[in-house]
Amino acid sequence: MGTVIRLAGQIDAEPTRAAVRGLAAYASHAECTRGRRHAEPAAPTRSEYQRDRDRIVHSTAFRRLVYKTQVFLNHEGDLFRTRMTHSLEVAQLGRSIARPLGLDEDLVEAIALAHDLGHTPFGHAGQDALDDCMRGHGGFEHNMQSLRVVDRLEQRYPAWDGLNLTFETREGILKRCSRAAAETLEAAEPGGVGRRFLDRTQPSLEAQLCNLADEIAYNAHDIDDGVRSGLITLEQLEGVPLFDTYRRQALAKYPQLQGRRLLYESIRRMLSTQVYDVIDATRAALSRARPASADEVRAQPPLVAFSDAMRRDSATLKQFLFRNLYRHPQVTETTDLARQVVRELFAAYRADPAQMKADFAARADSARAVADYIAGMTDRFAAHEHRRLTGRSLFA
Ligand code: MG
């Protein structure tokens, strides 16, 4: 556990290599990783975080993100975001912010691409239903599940379960964690990724950055998908300051602009401004705090942040999307069905575990095995299984 794969002499070489890559002292330096749970020799050409990113891209769970709901169910339209396109957008935004701050882009990309691997089919409705089903069996939470996917559920290596990722990538994937779950993690891996939730310390800057890139990404793409689906309108968005500022800017420069192009130009300007806002606010926080290493970052309060004004505007936009999109009758109607599918699948597999794939059916921790099995499903596989097991088709 926690084996450091650093080779003799690498520490001396580290500042030079890091400087070549443009990394700041407070960045996560791949040469100084806290290592992998199972020791592996270093790769000849790739950094440890590049390897993590590559392992995630090749994983089964990553491929399934294509067919998992973000907000709109996967079968509702081919142009809406899925977990896959969302994760790619988070990685893009994350890298845009990481480079000017001198942070490790490969680590940011690895965390961003893995951050939603634990999501159930049917988005948050699926996770809530599964959490209800798992009451009395330890509950279900998608951040913990993302960690389970990379630590255990991926089966690609002869000698161990999971992808054997570095501590820093796993730390970033575990964005949130309850105290009870942190204690369980700490017991299994003392001083590991559960520890910071007991000590109330922060993760690396790269991990902090991914959280904010996630928020920037979904706020923007949910406006886009929301307007294109017809569930929210450009007129409604005039009441949202963060969007309206850029809509007005775009119209001042291109008075004839309307429809899709007006939408895209407004979102493009909004995204750029948020990215520059995070870079500026974080630079200011870093110059006040002056952390000299990634470990000094962990002992500080959060350093990657929006300016106060942007934080307020972003919160207002979130509230707008919550009320008008996530709680839109057309969205809640399908999410109610999704909840029912997950509940009935859970009951069916609990009653007859042999209906699952053999390695899940054989597990002794049967409730958790069912949760792992359902969580790994794509929307369409879950709908197909539901039809097979109940004889009913809930989605038209
Ligand atoms: Mg996300």
Side-chain angles (χ1 to χ4, degrees):
M1 296 249 163
T3 316
V4 176
I5 45 165
R6 189 188 294 144
L7 301 175
Q10 268 194 324
I11 291 178
D12 296 340
E14 178 264 309
T16 334
R17 279 197 230 165
V20 167
R21 294 207 309 272
L23 289 194
Y26 46 68
S28 296
H29 294 242
E31 297 82 358
C32 303
T33 175
R34 288 193 203 173
R36 303 177 188 277
R37 297 200 297 168
H38 307 278
E40 293 184 63
T45 58
R46 292 175 300 159
S47 82
E48 297 308 322
Y49 303 144
Q50 280 180 284
R51 288 173 101 185
D52 281 0
R53 190 252 341 264
D54 298 348
R55 287 173 188 200
I56 292 158
V57 168
H58 286 278
S59 71
T60 307
F62 183 71
R63 281 195 297 284
R64 288 185 183 144
L65 296 179
V66 182
Y67 298 109
K68 287 194 174 196
T69 291
Q70 182 68 22
V71 171
F72 295 89
L73 297 193
N74 186 240
H75 63 261
E76 287 182 317
D78 289 345
L79 294 176
F80 299 129
R81 264 67 175 189
T82 66
R83 291 268 167 218
M84 169 75 79
T85 55
H86 163 71
S87 301
L88 294 173
E89 289 179 36
V90 175
Q92 179 275 314
L93 288 164
R95 293 183 60 150
S96 290
I97 299 168
R99 192 179 299 186
L101 291 174
L103 300 178
D104 191 291
E105 285 181 63
D106 298 317
L107 177 57
V108 165
E109 198 176 8
I111 297 170
L113 295 180
H115 85 283
D116 274 351
L117 289 180
H119 264 292
T120 60
F122 312 125
H124 282 277
Q127 115 128 12
D128 293 347
L130 201 49
D131 187 35
D132 282 345
C133 295
M134 286 297 284
R135 230 164 251 163
H137 305 285
F140 179 90
E141 201 281 319
H142 70 86
N143 289 291
M144 282 292 284
Q145 192 68 13
S146 297
L147 187 68
R148 277 176 71 73
V149 168
V150 300
D151 277 1
R152 260 193 83 154
L153 296 175
E154 282 289 323
Q155 300 184 336
R156 313 183 72 78
Y157 289 87
W160 53 70
D161 287 338
L163 302 177
N164 198 32
L165 303 181
T166 62
F167 170 86
E168 294 76 21
T169 300
R170 296 172 60 239
E171 171 193 52
I173 290 172
L174 192 61
K175 180 161 78 173
R176 271 185 272 280
C177 183
S178 69
R179 190 163 180 98
E183 278 163 1
T184 308
L185 286 172
E186 178 66 13
E189 183 191 359
V193 291
R195 187 54 174 267
R196 74 181 168 94
F197 299 97
L198 303 173
D199 295 348
R200 297 177 181 281
T201 54
Q202 300 304 313
S204 70
L205 292 169
E206 286 82 355
Q208 294 182 34
L209 161 46
C210 283
N211 288 347
L212 216 49
D214 189 18
E215 180 178 332
I216 297 173
Y218 64 65
N219 278 339
H221 64 52
D222 289 350
I223 291 180
D224 183 359
D225 286 351
V227 171
R228 284 186 303 111
S229 67
L231 299 188
I232 53 177
T233 63
L234 275 169
E235 291 67 40
Q236 271 179 300
L237 281 160
E238 287 173 22
V240 182
L242 186 57
F243 183 83
D244 200 48
T245 306
Y246 305 107
R247 189 190 63 90
R248 284 167 190 274
Q249 264 185 19
L251 283 173
K253 182 144 190 218
Y254 305 101
Q256 308 303 322
L257 208 55
Q258 52 177 324
R260 294 258 165 106
R261 284 185 197 251
L262 175 59
L263 174 67
Y264 293 145
E265 181 60 14
S266 309
I267 291 176
R268 196 177 67 76
R269 287 166 182 256
M270 187 179 93
L271 279 174
S272 301
T273 311
Q274 286 183 293
V275 164
Y276 298 132
D277 182 272
V278 175
I279 294 168
D280 289 345
T282 304
R283 273 192 180 136
L286 285 166
S287 70
R288 280 193 300 273
R290 301 199 164 278
S293 68
D295 276 335
E296 281 188 32
V297 165
R298 291 185 173 89
Q300 299 266 1
L303 294 169
V304 179
F306 281 136
S307 65
D308 290 341
M310 186 60 83
R311 187 179 317 119
R312 277 193 299 275
D313 281 352
S314 175
T316 311
L317 170 56
K318 261 193 199 174
Q319 279 163 15
F320 170 86
L321 287 170
F322 189 81
R323 278 193 219 115
N324 298 285
L325 183 61
Y326 311 143
R327 287 283 170 268
H328 191 287
Q330 224 170 297
V331 172
T332 53
E333 191 186 315
T334 50
T335 52
D336 286 347
L337 293 178
R339 257 188 283 273
Q340 191 182 342
V341 167
V342 169
R343 273 197 307 269
E344 294 181 358
L345 277 179
F346 190 87
Y349 294 130
R350 284 291 273 157
D352 185 4
Q355 295 297 331
M356 295 188 289
K357 240 173 59 184
D359 42 341
F360 289 88
R363 271 170 51 181
D365 56 343
S366 56
R368 183 61 60 189
V370 172
D372 286 340
Y373 190 56
I374 294 176
M377 292 179 181
T378 61
D379 290 9
R380 58 184 185 178
F381 184 67
H384 176 269
E385 277 291 275
H386 182 265
R387 245 186 337 267
R388 183 178 73 82
L389 293 165
T390 67
R392 285 177 294 116
S393 187
L394 291 183
F395 298 112

